[in-house]
């Protein structure tokens, strides 16, 4: 398409647009292809061309059911690895130059589902990567608070996403709060590299940070004074998209009035009846029904099913999507025939005897971001952004619009069913004054939107009831009034949707956007990743805003696992000394093998806290993560302590059997329950095996003998299994090695839980120094450091000498006798670099940190910087060398605990070296910026990991 050529030229010139506003179906996802080609072009041009970021970070709303971007990325990966496609040789050559090794030419990173725990991507800073993730996954990482990450991973991944990265926000109007936060972060991540101390000015000038918002954002002013990227007239005629562009001007919106009703229940009943009646008049096609409330969606689904049953049509023709769903359910959903019917691309509607009829019923969970193509949309009234999102599912590929244009069919329409009295809710004076203020655009983002000061109606009429006096309800009325004004209905037909976003009230109709300011104290707090986190301060308001709505509500991830059942019988209550300590065993399991993203239901924090404080929760054991630690509550203990300490987007793990109990329904009332018949439990509890695809899984689990669970309404039945008392053997999955084995008592019998990690090349002795003709760990790390420096900044002596010196010194502290003995060293051996393969796990170190000992030795014998540097550059080189060695395992950002110091050698608390390290961290962060310093730290972490042939985290380091 011609617009792609134009956009490609802007990208290779280093000037991508901040806002890309393309019609629905025009192919904005193709930006992925444009980026990859531009990146390869940049690689072939070398230093003479403009730099293009190695990472494209594609951000999606957490409710979105995305398929197209994953499908496109998978196809790109297949073609690049198919060497038979010789026409792509130049592309491979350019990417290989940027990679600097014969490794991955292109890596697809999915920060969702079962592989969210895979950290391998974070040690590949030179590899071209398409990183796809949700707002919370990407946003928390950019803010140094990656959910589920420890001290090592938080700064590592922040540096990867804030440097040499292009963040593209898909459907940006759905996450305006995150957009505002990213606009603020851009001013820091993309701060002029020319302001840095040489030679980092030249280095980071080639590692840019870009930010692009995709889709119109009616609630926000433009991100810059430049014009958005839009289709030109001649580009609209490209045969690939001309029908889709035609659909944008052909779709119409009709209003259908419901009978007047006083009570809310009567209004809902009238809405359900009209939606069911309208939907079941069709005999073929794909009918989408969108509503705002889950209860209405459930009633509509039930009504349609009843009508289909009368006609002898199976209810499998209906797909219902409401509430939040786990990755597991999302994958299962894609297998449903009714759901897939809305994804199929067809040239002509099917008619006659072979006609098929399918229904999609849902709330925002279904209407957002889904590449669904509906022939008809029936819905209730909603604010403007929601109506625009729904409309984007109508005739998405333009087939019906082309038929209408050729006088062969009807004009595609979206029908809104609404009570007629809604049109009377207008507040003209407030709308006019607010529109004037918002349209001024005197700042990069509107001060009025940031403060929310103008969103409360200032006048209250005497005849207004008590509910409408609240600021929240008045804001809702203001948004509804603005939406009605934008629609400007004349009779039954609304103004053309193409004109909606140009209306002066469009921003008001989008609702208020309120986010905290990103200040230096905020960033300093988040980037101090070794400090204890407060559950009251989290990245959540920066990602979803401060508004009191469903999208801005903090969430907690809830998983259901069989292992937690073992906590029903604690060791303290059993006189058998051979009974394993279930609490410590279960904690160790989840510390080393935390639940996968696809296992998690996301529930409102307020709902979880209320449930935890109830007597029902006290009856059940649970495991939860508090900051970086996993803790347990056994059955009978109050859950109040857990409720008070639980922070947004933390993880709570409940026993699998609890899903069979009535109290759990209230806890998961906002979660989707696909499948199942009415009155039955629809949610599958422990789904780990179902999401652990051996081809992609981070880890696998086996249970011998297997556990079956059935029952309902309070009746728990452990299904009988043929079992041995203490099974000792189990088939090892191909390509995996057993990493952990635990015996847990589940359902009255002892069962063996085994956990397997993907095989790596680290199952052999690794020494610090060369031995028997093989390079030692330090030499391998230096080699990788040199490769990284040469790839990212050819000829940059400052960087290459810095990374080499840091790689050579970073693990010297491991020579300390206490560390060697703990990791399995035996008399006569050279010093070990990693755990001896014959040792199951390191012996306790009492908190001793080898990197502190490395820093202590390096400070005593500091190497000289390269010759020819200015005094300022020499001081920076020394500072960075000491800092990189001290933080390469995530500690010393900005300090280290007392027991991390070298025993019997250094004084605690006010140790001068520790205070010096703290001051050095603050000084370097001020000089380089938060993300650029973290990126440099990440380069040494990569050299260490590649030199180890493994990623080294705290749990693998004896702590």
């Amino acid at each position: 398409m011609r617009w792609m050529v134009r956009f490609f030229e802007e990208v290779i010139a280093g000037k991508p647009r901040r806002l890309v506003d393309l019609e629905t179906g025009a192919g904005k996802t193709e930006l992925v292809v444009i980026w990859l080609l531009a990146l390869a072009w940049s690689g072939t041009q070398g230093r003479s061309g403009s730099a293009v970021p190695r990472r494209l970070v594609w951000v999606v709303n957490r409710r979105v059911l995305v398929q197209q971007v994953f499908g496109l990325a998978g196809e790109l990966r297949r073609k690049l690895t198919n060497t038979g496609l010789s026409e792509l040789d130049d592309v491979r050559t350019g990417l290989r130059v940027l990679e600097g090794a014969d490794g991955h030419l292109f890596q697809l990173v999915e920060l969702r589902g079962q592989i969210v725990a895979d950290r391998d991507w974070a040690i590949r800073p030179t590899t071209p990567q398409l990183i796809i993730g949700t707002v919370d996954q990407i946003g928390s990482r950019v803010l140094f608070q990656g959910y589920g990450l420890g001290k090592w991973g938080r700064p590592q991944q922040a540096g990867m996403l804030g440097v040499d990265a292009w963040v593209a926000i898909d459907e940006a109007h759905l996450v305006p709060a995150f957009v505002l936060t990213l606009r603020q972060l851009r001013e820091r991540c993309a701060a002029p590299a020319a302001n840095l101390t040489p030679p980092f000015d030249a280095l980071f000038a080639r590692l840019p940070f870009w930010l692009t918002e995709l889709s119109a954002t009616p609630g926000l002013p433009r991100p810059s004074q430049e014009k958005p990227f839009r289709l030109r007239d001649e580009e609209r005629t490209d045969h690939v998209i001309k029908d889709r562009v035609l659909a944008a001007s052909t779709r119409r919106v009709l209003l259908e009035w419901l009978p007047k009703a006083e009570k809310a229940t009567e209004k809902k009943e009238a809405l359900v009846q009209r939606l069911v009646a309208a939907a079941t008049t069709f005999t073929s096609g794909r009918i989408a029904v969108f509503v705002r409330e889950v209860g209405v969606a459930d009633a509509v689904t039930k009504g349609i099913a009843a009508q289909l049953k009368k006609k002898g049509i199976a209810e499998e023709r209906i797909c219902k999507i409401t509430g939040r769903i786990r990755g597991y359910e999302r994958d299962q959903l894609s297998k449903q025939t009714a759901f897939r019917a809305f994804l199929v691309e067809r040239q002509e509607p099917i008619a006659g005897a072979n006609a098929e009829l399918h229904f999609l019923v849902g709330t925002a969970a279904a209407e957002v971001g889904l590449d669904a193509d509906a022939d008809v949309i029936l819905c209730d009234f909603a604010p403007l952004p929601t109506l625009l999102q729904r409309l984007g599912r109508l005739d998405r590929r333009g087939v019906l619009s082309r038929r209408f244009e050729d006088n062969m069919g009807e004009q595609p329409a979206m029908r809104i069913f609404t009570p007629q009295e809604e049109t009377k809710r207008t507040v003209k004076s407030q709308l006019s004054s607010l529109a004037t203020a918002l349209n001024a655009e005197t700042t990069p983002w509107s001060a009025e939107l940031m403060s929310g000061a103008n969103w409360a109606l200032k006048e209250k009429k005497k005849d207004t009831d008590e509910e409408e006096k609240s600021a929240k309800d008045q804001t809702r009325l203001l948004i509804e009034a603005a939406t009605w004004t934008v629609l400007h209905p004349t009779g039954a037909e609304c103004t053309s949707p193409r004109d909606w976003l140009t209306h002066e009230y469009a921003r008001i109709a989008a609702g208020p956007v309120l986010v905290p300011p990103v200040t230096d104290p905020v960033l300093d707090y988040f980037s101090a990743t070794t400090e204890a986190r407060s559950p009251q301060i989290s990245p959540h308001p920066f990602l979803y805003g401060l508004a009191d709505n469903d999208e801005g509500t903090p969430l907690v991830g809830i998983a259901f696992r069989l292992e937690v059942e073992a906590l029903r019988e604690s060791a303290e209550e059993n006189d058998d000394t051979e009974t394993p300590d279930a609490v410590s065993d279960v904690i160790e399991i989840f510390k080393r093998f935390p639940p996968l993203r696809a296992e998690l239901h996301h529930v409102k924090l307020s709902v979880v806290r209320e449930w935890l404080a109830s007597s029902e929760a006290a009856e059940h054991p649970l495991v939860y993560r508090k900051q970086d630690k996993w803790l347990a509550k056994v059955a009978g203990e109050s859950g109040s302590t857990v409720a008070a300490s639980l922070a947004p987007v933390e993880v709570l793990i409940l026993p699998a059997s609890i899903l069979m109990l009535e109290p759990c329904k209230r806890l998961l009332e906002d979660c989707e329950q696909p499948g199942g018949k009415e009155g039955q439990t629809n949610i599958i509890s422990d789904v780990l095996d179902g999401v652990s695809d051996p081809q992609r899984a981070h880890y696998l689990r086996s249970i011998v003998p297997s556990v079956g669970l059935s029952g309902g309404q309070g009746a728990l039945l452990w299904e009988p299994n043929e079992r041995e008392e203490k099974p000792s053997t189990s088939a090892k999955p191909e390509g995996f090695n057993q990493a952990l084995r635990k015996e847990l008592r589940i359902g009255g019998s002892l069962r063996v839980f085994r956990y397997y990690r993907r095989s790596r090349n680290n199952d052999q002795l690794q020494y610090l120094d060369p031995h028997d003709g093989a390079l030692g760990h330090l030499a391998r790390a230096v080699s990788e450091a040199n490769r990284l420096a040469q790839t990212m900044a050819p000829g940059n002596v400052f960087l290459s000498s810095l990374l080499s010196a840091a790689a050579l010194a970073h693990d010297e502290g491991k020579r300390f006798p206490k560390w060697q003995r703990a990791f399995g060293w035996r008399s006569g051996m050279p010093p070990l670099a990693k755990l001896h393969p014959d040792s199951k796990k390191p012996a306790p170190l009492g908190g001793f940190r080898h990197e502190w000992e490395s820093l202590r030795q390096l400070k005593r014998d500091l190497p000289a910087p390269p010759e020819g540097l200015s005094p300022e550059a020499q001081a920076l080189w020394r500072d960075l060398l000491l800092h990189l060695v001290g933080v390469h395992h995530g500690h010393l950002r900005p300090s280290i605990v007392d027991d991390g110091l070298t025993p019997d050698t250094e004084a605690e608390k006010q140790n001068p070296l520790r205070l010096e390290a703290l001051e050095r961290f603050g000084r370097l962060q001020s000089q380089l910026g938060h993300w650029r310093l973290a990126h440099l730290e990440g380069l040494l972490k990569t050299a260490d990991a590649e030199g180890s042939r493994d990623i080294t985290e705290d749990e693998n380091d004896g702590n």
Side-chain angles (χ1 to χ4, degrees):
M1 291 177 279
R2 281 175 283 185
W3 75 261
M4 295 180 66
V5 176
R6 179 163 60 95
F7 198 87
F8 170 84
E9 292 172 347
E10 293 184 1
V11 172
I12 62 173
K15 299 178 179 179
R17 300 288 183 95
R18 296 281 305 280
L19 178 61
V20 176
D21 182 11
L22 300 177
E23 282 89 340
T24 297
K28 65 179 182 296
T29 307
E30 301 293 333
L31 185 145
V32 173
V33 181
I34 298 172
W35 159 76
L36 193 61
L37 292 173
L39 186 61
W41 173 269
S42 175
T44 62
Q45 299 302 298
R47 310 292 289 185
S48 62
S50 297
V52 175
R54 285 179 172 84
R55 285 172 290 282
L56 176 62
V57 184
W58 195 271
V59 184
V60 296
N61 181 275
R62 70 184 174 199
R63 298 177 301 179
V64 171
L65 298 168
V66 289
Q67 292 88 25
Q68 59 269 36
V69 66
F70 290 103
L72 175 61
E75 183 65 17
L76 286 173
R77 184 168 53 184
R78 285 190 293 272
K79 289 186 175 182
L80 285 171
T81 55
N82 182 0
T83 56
L85 297 175
S86 58
E87 60 269 33
L88 295 181
D89 285 346
D90 288 344
V91 177
R92 297 188 188 95
T93 299
L95 297 177
R96 191 169 286 112
V97 169
L98 294 167
E99 161 65 10
D102 295 330
H104 300 79
L105 288 180
F106 169 68
Q107 186 177 14
L108 172 60
V109 181
E110 302 176 43
L111 295 182
R112 62 159 201 158
Q114 65 195 50
I115 60 175
V116 72
D118 189 356
R119 296 183 292 266
D120 185 70
W121 68 274
I123 61 164
R124 304 194 183 281
T126 62
T127 300
Q129 295 172 330
L130 171 60
I131 302 172
I132 306 172
T134 55
V135 169
D136 49 6
Q137 289 292 317
I138 299 297
S140 66
R141 283 165 167 77
V142 172
L143 289 170
F144 289 85
Q145 294 298 294
Y147 297 133
L149 299 180
K151 297 177 177 66
W152 188 92
R154 287 176 179 173
Q156 170 82 355
Q157 297 193 15
M160 288 283 283
L161 299 176
V163 174
D164 203 11
W166 183 5
V167 178
I169 313 174
D170 196 9
E171 307 285 2
H173 59 280
L174 299 176
V175 287
F178 186 48
V179 169
L180 287 182
T181 293
L182 276 179
R183 288 184 186 181
Q184 297 180 74
L185 292 179
R186 178 185 175 276
E187 302 304 313
R188 298 169 180 274
C189 294
N195 297 340
L196 298 176
T197 302
F200 289 113
D201 53 351
L203 169 64
F204 286 108
R206 303 290 305 176
L207 304 174
F209 177 87
W210 295 350
L211 175 62
T212 294
E213 301 165 23
L214 301 166
S215 179
T217 52
L220 300 177
R222 293 178 183 175
S224 65
Q225 295 300 317
E226 68 179 15
K227 294 182 179 179
F229 186 92
R230 294 191 175 104
L231 293 178
R232 293 173 176 172
D233 290 341
E234 65 273 15
E235 294 168 345
R236 297 175 183 275
T237 61
D238 283 341
H239 74 282
V240 180
I241 60 170
K242 64 180 182 180
D243 287 352
R244 302 184 180 203
V245 173
L246 174 66
S249 58
T250 305
R251 301 185 188 101
R252 63 175 179 163
V253 178
L254 303 175
L255 292 172
E256 299 194 20
W257 309 113
L258 297 175
K260 291 185 178 181
E262 296 296 330
K263 297 181 180 179
T265 54
E266 295 175 350
K267 292 180 180 180
K268 290 182 181 180
E269 184 177 351
L271 174 63
V272 170
Q273 291 177 353
R274 290 288 294 275
L275 287 172
V276 171
T280 53
T281 59
F282 296 94
T283 58
S284 65
R286 299 176 289 193
I287 317 302
V289 182
F290 296 130
V291 293
R292 285 187 283 181
E293 297 184 19
V294 174
V296 174
D298 292 339
V300 169
T301 303
K302 186 176 181 180
I304 294 175
Q307 294 299 315
L308 292 182
K309 185 177 181 180
K310 293 178 181 179
K311 300 176 182 179
I313 302 176
E315 65 178 88
E316 281 72 19
R317 297 287 184 90
I318 308 172
C319 175
K320 178 172 70 76
I321 306 176
T322 61
R324 305 177 184 92
I325 61 177
R326 289 181 292 189
Y328 174 81
E329 273 85 19
R330 180 169 54 239
D331 292 339
Q332 300 302 310
L333 185 65
S334 63
K335 301 175 183 179
Q336 291 188 19
T337 302
F339 178 77
R340 293 178 62 84
F342 285 83
L343 307 180
V344 175
E345 184 170 356
R346 64 189 187 207
Q347 297 302 316
E348 294 290 342
I350 302 173
N354 295 323
E356 290 191 0
L357 180 64
H358 292 98
F359 298 90
L360 174 64
V361 181
T363 57
E367 69 198 20
V368 172
L370 178 64
D371 190 21
D373 193 354
D375 302 329
V376 175
I377 290 182
L378 311 172
C379 63
D380 59 2
F381 176 78
L384 186 64
T386 299
L387 295 179
L388 285 168
Q389 197 62 37
R390 293 170 175 177
L391 193 63
R393 312 310 117 194
L394 176 63
D395 190 29
R396 191 168 176 83
R397 297 175 177 86
V399 174
L400 299 181
S401 296
R402 173 56 57 191
R403 289 174 61 83
F404 173 75
E405 185 78 2
D406 296 338
N407 296 317
M408 297 175 60
E410 296 182 355
Q411 186 176 1
M414 180 171 78
R415 295 158 62 184
I416 303 175
F417 295 83
T418 180
Q420 191 166 0
E421 62 265 23
E422 295 286 353
T423 58
K424 297 179 182 179
R425 293 184 175 179
T426 59
V427 279
K428 295 182 180 180
S429 61
Q430 284 81 3
L431 288 175
S432 178
S433 61
L434 184 55
T436 301
L438 294 179
N439 288 327
E441 293 192 11
T442 56
T443 59
W445 48 81
S446 169
E448 286 77 15
L449 285 172
M450 291 289 287
S451 67
N454 288 315
W455 285 99
L457 297 181
K458 297 178 181 179
E459 297 180 4
K460 299 179 181 179
K461 298 181 179 180
K462 294 182 179 180
D463 58 350
T464 303
D465 60 32
E466 290 297 319
E467 181 182 0
E468 292 182 342
K469 288 181 180 180
S470 68
K472 177 180 178 181
D473 199 60
Q474 291 182 55
T475 300
R476 178 182 61 81
L477 294 179
L478 187 62
I479 294 171
E480 288 184 356
T483 301
W484 279 113
T485 307
V486 170
L487 298 182
H488 191 59
T490 56
E493 188 160 0
C494 297
T495 303
S496 171
R498 296 198 67 179
D499 299 329
W500 288 358
L501 290 179
T502 61
H503 197 286
E504 63 174 341
Y505 290 172
R507 290 189 199 168
I508 304 173
V513 184
L514 188 62
V515 297
V518 181
T519 62
D520 284 333
V522 167
L523 291 177
D524 290 343
Y525 172 78
F526 283 145
S527 66
T529 51
T530 59
E531 298 302 301
R533 302 291 91 188
S534 167
Q536 310 305 324
I537 305 176
S538 81
H540 197 89
F542 297 90
L543 309 184
Y544 295 105
L546 296 168
D548 182 16
N549 55 41
D550 185 65
E551 190 61 45
T553 302
L555 303 178
V556 172
I558 296 182
F560 297 88
R561 290 284 285 270
L562 289 162
E563 292 91 329
V564 184
E565 297 289 346
L567 300 181
R568 295 189 184 278
E569 305 174 34
S570 65
E572 290 77 12
E573 298 174 356
N574 198 314
D575 295 333
D576 186 356
T577 57
E578 295 185 359
T579 300
D581 182 0
V583 173
S584 60
D585 283 348
V586 171
I587 290 296
E588 183 179 0
I589 288 171
F590 290 117
K591 180 181 178 181
R592 297 180 61 181
F593 298 93
L596 303 176
R597 183 75 177 175
E599 297 180 74
L600 300 179
H601 292 286
H602 288 95
V603 182
K604 294 178 182 179
L605 177 59
S606 58
V607 173
V608 177
R609 284 177 172 167
E610 181 182 355
W611 183 81
L612 284 171
S614 68
S615 58
E616 301 161 350
E619 299 175 6
H620 304 284
L622 57 86
V623 176
Y624 64 103
R625 187 181 63 206
K626 181 181 180 181
Q627 298 170 8
D628 295 333
K629 296 183 179 180
W630 285 95
L631 302 170
K633 181 191 85 66
V634 297
E637 290 183 353
S638 171
S640 299
T641 301
V642 183
S645 62
L646 205 61
V649 199
E650 284 291 9
V651 174
L652 187 72
I653 310 178
L654 302 178
S657 62
I658 197 173
L659 270 177
M660 302 292 182
L661 303 176
E662 187 67 28
C664 199
K665 292 183 179 179
R666 180 163 54 88
L667 184 62
L668 299 181
E669 60 185 357
D670 288 339
C671 296
E672 178 63 38
Q673 303 181 28
K677 302 296 183 181
E678 184 177 358
Q680 293 184 0
T681 301
N682 296 329
I683 303 178
I684 299 175
S685 55
D686 188 329
V687 297
L688 175 62
D689 297 338
V691 300
S692 295
D693 178 0
Q695 300 301 317
R696 308 168 66 207
H698 180 55
Y699 67 86
L700 300 177
R701 177 193 68 180
S702 71
I703 308 173
V704 179
S706 61
V707 177
L709 182 66
S710 66
Q713 301 301 319
L716 304 181
L717 301 175
W718 296 100
E719 294 179 352
N721 294 277
E722 295 182 2
R723 64 179 184 270
E724 50 184 306
E725 283 304 313
K726 290 190 177 182
S728 58
T729 60
S730 178
K732 181 171 72 70
E734 184 177 356
F736 286 79
N737 289 330
Q738 180 174 308
L740 184 65
R741 178 185 183 276
K742 293 292 182 182
E743 294 184 358
L744 301 176
R745 189 168 297 279
I746 306 290
S749 65
L750 206 60
R751 302 169 192 269
V752 175
F753 288 73
R754 288 184 173 87
Y755 302 84
Y756 303 89
R757 289 195 186 276
R758 191 172 297 279
S759 302
R760 294 184 182 271
N761 297 322
N762 63 341
D763 298 325
Q764 55 184 309
L765 279 170
Q766 296 190 50
Y767 300 111
L768 285 174
D769 307 315
H771 183 71
D772 288 342
L775 289 177
H777 167 66
L778 295 179
R780 289 194 302 268
V782 170
S783 176
E784 177 64 14
N786 287 328
R787 183 194 73 81
L788 291 171
Q790 182 60 29
T791 301
M792 304 193 77
N796 191 315
V797 177
F798 185 104
L799 182 65
S800 59
S801 62
L802 173 66
L803 291 182
S804 295
L808 186 62
H810 78 287
D811 270 355
E812 283 297 321
K814 289 183 176 179
R815 299 185 192 275
F816 196 76
K818 183 173 185 177
W819 194 95
Q820 287 292 317
R821 288 193 298 268
F823 277 68
W825 178 86
R826 295 156 193 178
S827 179
M829 278 186 178
L832 292 173
K834 297 296 170 185
L835 181 68
H836 194 291
D838 293 341
S839 301
K840 293 184 178 181
K841 62 180 181 179
L845 281 168
F848 168 71
R849 300 298 316 180
H850 76 270
E851 64 268 38
W852 174 259
E853 175 63 14
S854 298
L855 177 63
R856 194 176 71 87
Q857 295 184 27
L858 180 63
K859 177 68 175 178
R860 186 174 53 196
D861 189 17
L862 191 64
E867 296 181 359
L869 296 180
S870 67
E872 295 80 10
Q874 290 181 356
L876 178 62
W877 191 92
R878 294 188 184 95
D879 267 0
L880 279 168
L881 176 58
L882 292 167
H883 176 73
L884 295 184
V885 169
V887 303
H888 80 273
H889 270 282
H891 294 264
L892 285 164
R893 285 188 123 249
S895 190
I896 193 169
V897 295
D898 293 342
D899 57 7
L901 307 183
T902 304
D904 304 322
T905 304
E906 299 292 340
E908 297 180 352
K909 298 193 181 297
Q910 301 305 320
N911 180 283
L913 283 181
R914 186 166 64 170
L915 295 178
E916 182 182 300
L918 186 151
E919 294 169 354
R920 182 168 52 242
F921 169 65
R923 183 168 59 250
L924 288 172
Q925 191 161 255
S926 176
Q927 288 177 288
L928 294 175
H930 298 78
W931 293 271
R932 286 165 176 164
L933 178 60
H935 191 77
L936 292 178
E937 295 172 15
L939 297 182
L940 178 59
K941 292 179 180 179
T942 294
D944 179 31
E946 290 295 336
S948 308
R949 298 186 294 271
D950 196 4
I951 297 176
T952 53
E953 272 277 22
D954 283 347
E955 64 267 26
N956 298 326
D957 201 35
N959 291 277

